[in-house]
Amino acid sequence: MTTLGHSITALAALALCLPPHQPRWRQLWWLIGFIALASIPDWPLPFWGHHQLAVSHSLWVNLALCTTLAAALWRHLPPGRYRGRLLICGALAWLSHLCMDTLYG
């Protein structure tokens, strides 16, 4: 799957959970963050990315990393009912990468 396809999926996940009445600059940061989350398995890092698909595209590795990041971000997101939605939709954006790559031969 191309980066564009993963980005569009991330934007769909963001549309499900973006809190209303956000300033434009904050919407832009959410947009960048969700696109980054959807692209994490393809980042060109050592022992990661397309040259190590067994690791970077492993469901268990990504679930563990996603859970760790969500726990770390829990305290930094604004409190309220949107905090949980943002974390769940962020995880959805991240893990959608694996689903989208299985559909792409």
Side-chain angles (χ1 to χ4, degrees):
M1 177 62 61
T2 64
T3 304
L4 179 62
H6 293 305
S7 299
I8 291 171
T9 306
L11 296 179
L14 179 61
L16 292 172
C17 66
L18 187 66
H21 312 298
Q22 295 285 313
R24 291 278 183 209
W25 64 269
R26 187 169 289 160
Q27 289 178 4
L28 179 64
W29 279 113
W30 286 118
L31 175 84
I32 292 167
F34 269 63
I35 289 173
L37 284 173
S39 301
I40 284 176
D42 287 343
W43 285 2
L45 301 171
F47 306 107
W48 194 258
H50 279 283
H51 62 278
Q52 281 290 12
L53 286 176
V55 176
S56 68
H57 286 67
S58 165
L59 177 63
W60 303 114
V61 170
N62 281 283
L63 275 174
L65 291 173
C66 188
T67 305
T68 304
L69 183 64
L73 287 177
W74 180 258
R75 297 179 64 207
H76 298 290
L77 289 175
R81 64 182 180 170
Y82 288 100
R83 177 170 36 184
R85 285 185 192 178
L86 286 166
L87 289 175
I88 290 170
C89 289
L92 178 67
W94 185 338
L95 298 174
S96 73
H97 184 107
L98 306 176
C99 296
M100 298 297 285
D101 277 358
T102 59
L103 297 174
Y104 189 77

